[in-house]
Amino acid sequence: MSHVFPTASRRKYQLIRNVVVIWLTAMIVAAFALRIPFINILEHTARNLYFHVPMWFTLMAAVFVSAYHSIRYLGSGDAIRDIRAAEAARVGVTFGVLGLLTGIFWSRFTWYQGTEIWWNWDPRQSMAAVELLIYGAYFILRDSIDDPEKRGKIAAVYNIFAASTVPFLLYVLPRQLQSLHPGAEGNPAFSEITDPVMRLVFYPAVIGFIGLFWVLYTQRTRLRLMEERVEDIRFEKETRGDTL
Amino acid sequence: MTRVAIPDLQDAAADTTVSTAYDSIWAQTTQAPVGLETVFLAEDKLYVVLVVVLIIWFGIIFFLYRTDRKIAQLERSLEQDIHETEGPA
């Protein structure tokens, strides 16, 4: 059936999906089981490294996939590229929102402990919020254009612009500004107090969540292709009905 | 074996010289947690991690529900098509 629906074969999809589920389950167990050194203020929340940071890695991967398909769409005009770009961005932004929410909660009980502050316009958090708004505008833009070809083209151009802001808003600018977030020294995920043993769970977590992204993204792409196919069949039927 | 004298926290807090250990004074002056902090600062902040995991869990569930709704819409429209083709029974 792969010639009708140009996505990964069903068997390959199911295999990767099952591996991702087992992989992430093992990762969650390891995230709590692995002993880590006690650090003041952070305490057990150091374990959030395994959950909060991969959200942003996944967003980066999704944005990359999305921009790739937008570029291919501008070259080919193939509707599947537009679908793929939109769905990769949608799943990616979902991970971004989770990254922001988990970050807000984490900061409330570390940076802002004893102050009852939830949000203090920390540059890194603010930039992340702006980035998500830029992608929010991408979906509003898509919804506001009815003609599929026009929508595809304008959305693709905007999406490439949006992707090009990601390195600046998430990497370059926050490192230039005073922030409570680790990273001003160079690496936002690891600092000199991060125990090397944490990498054993962190890297598998990043791979696992990117795998989860792929599963959700493929799921949505399959659904969208099916919708398009139904539309096509309907259209064919109508035109045949007219000529008969 | 001689025991090394461990400075008393109370003494450290009372000592106002520059050499005073910073976090021992901090520990003395920190007020008892109130509100949400009574829950989330307990157990070395382990419950913060639990909430972070739950946020991600519910985020994924929310996404799956939205996909589910789209599948239901497609099913409904296909059912309608089949009805129209076959005509009323």
Side-chain angles (χ1 to χ4, degrees), chain B residues 8-21:
Chain B
D8 189 33
L9 277 181
Q10 288 293 332
D11 290 346
D15 184 2
T16 50
T17 58
V18 198
S19 62
T20 309

Side-chain angles (χ1 to χ4, degrees), chain A residues 83-121:
Chain A
I83 290 173
R84 284 189 173 280
E87 294 308 322
R90 199 187 304 280
V91 182
V93 166
T94 305
F95 278 98
V97 169
L98 295 179
L100 189 64
L101 291 178
T102 53
I104 290 170
F105 198 83
W106 191 0
S107 67
R108 168 63 183 83
F109 297 102
T110 48
W111 302 348
Y112 305 136
Q113 180 183 331
T115 61
E116 300 202 29
I117 291 172
W118 285 88
W119 181 264
N120 197 31
W121 298 106

Side-chain angles (χ1 to χ4, degrees), chain A residues 41 44 108-109 113-114 234, chain B residues 37 44-45 49 67 77 81:
Chain A
I41 302 174
H44 272 308
R108 168 63 183 83
F109 297 102
Q113 180 183 331
R234 236 173 241 167
Chain B
E37 293 195 343
D44 293 343
K45 303 188 183 177
V49 189
T67 307
S77 86
D81 271 18

Side-chain angles (χ1 to χ4, degrees), chain B residues 14-89:
Chain B
D15 184 2
T16 50
T17 58
V18 198
S19 62
T20 309
Y22 186 68
D23 48 314
S24 60
I25 288 198
W26 200 4
Q28 292 296 309
T29 51
T30 303
Q31 286 155 7
V34 289
L36 276 177
E37 293 195 343
T38 52
V39 177
F40 290 107
L41 299 190
E43 308 292 346
D44 293 343
K45 303 188 183 177
L46 187 61
Y47 293 123
V48 177
V49 189
L50 174 66
V51 172
V52 161
V53 173
L54 288 179
I55 288 171
I56 294 169
W57 168 243
F58 285 119
I60 293 162
I61 294 294
F62 174 75
F63 193 87
L64 288 177
Y65 272 49
R66 284 181 42 142
T67 307
D68 208 340
R69 206 170 55 195
K70 282 197 172 273
I71 293 170
Q73 274 170 3
L74 185 63
E75 278 173 348
R76 269 198 298 274
S77 86
L78 276 178
E79 268 165 28
Q80 210 178 344
D81 271 18
I82 292 164
H83 258 288
E84 278 169 12
T85 320
E86 289 174 350

Side-chain angles (χ1 to χ4, degrees), chain A residues 125-187:
Chain A
Q125 288 185 328
S126 307
M127 297 285 171
V130 168
E131 190 58 64
L132 295 178
L133 290 177
I134 288 174
Y135 272 94
Y138 168 70
F139 297 111
I140 293 168
L141 182 70
R142 291 189 67 86
D143 287 345
S144 64
I145 305 169
D146 283 329
D147 177 42
E149 274 180 34
K150 201 173 157 196
R151 177 179 57 220
K153 267 188 195 142
I154 294 175
V157 171
Y158 181 84
N159 192 31
I160 294 164
F161 154 75
S164 69
T165 66
V166 171
F168 294 100
L169 286 177
L170 297 188
Y171 282 77
V172 180
L173 280 176
R175 290 185 189 189
Q176 309 298 321
L177 301 164
Q178 287 280 322
S179 171
L180 289 167
H181 196 286
E185 317 83 20
N187 191 327

